[in-house]
Amino acid sequence: MRAGSSELFRARIAERDAGLLAGIEEGFEEVDGILAAYRSGDGWAHYSALNDRDRNSLRGVVNHLAEQLALLRGTLHLD
């Protein structure tokens, strides 16, 4: 997971569902891998600079990651 406030939850998530944590981390790595080609200085190229293949790949990875992130609320008993 990303640095910062997410670090506070890493141990708790791992304790409750290590597989979910691994999947979330893998999802962020996949997104970073796709976007690496579009790095521009300290930021990123505009979305319109992505080719169709990368857009489609990114959509799939981001949707899957969003589904996993949505599970955190229940995993952490925040309901």
Side-chain angles (χ1 to χ4, degrees), residues 38 45-52 55:
Y38 297 97
H46 189 270
Y47 182 76
S48 64
L50 275 74
N51 62 42
D52 287 339
R55 268 195 204 111

Side-chain angles (χ1 to χ4, degrees), residues 12-50:
R12 183 93 170 188
I13 298 165
E15 175 185 300
R16 296 193 182 235
D17 192 337
L20 177 60
L21 178 60
I24 290 170
E25 289 176 336
E26 184 179 303
F28 277 117
E29 288 172 14
E30 286 183 68
V31 169
D32 287 344
I34 293 168
L35 291 178
Y38 297 97
R39 194 88 165 133
S40 178
D42 289 337
W44 305 98
H46 189 270
Y47 182 76
S48 64
L50 275 74

Side-chain angles (χ1 to χ4, degrees), residues 1 13-14 16-27 64-65 67-76:
M1 296 184 74
I13 298 165
R16 296 193 182 235
D17 192 337
L20 177 60
L21 178 60
I24 290 170
E25 289 176 336
E26 184 179 303
H64 182 69
L65 181 57
E67 290 170 6
Q68 291 180 317
L69 290 170
L71 297 173
L72 285 176
R73 186 176 179 142
T75 300
L76 297 173

Side-chain angles (χ1 to χ4, degrees), residues 54-69:
D54 285 346
R55 268 195 204 111
N56 290 332
S57 294
L58 192 57
R59 256 186 228 118
V61 171
V62 168
N63 286 337
H64 182 69
L65 181 57
E67 290 170 6
Q68 291 180 317
L69 290 170

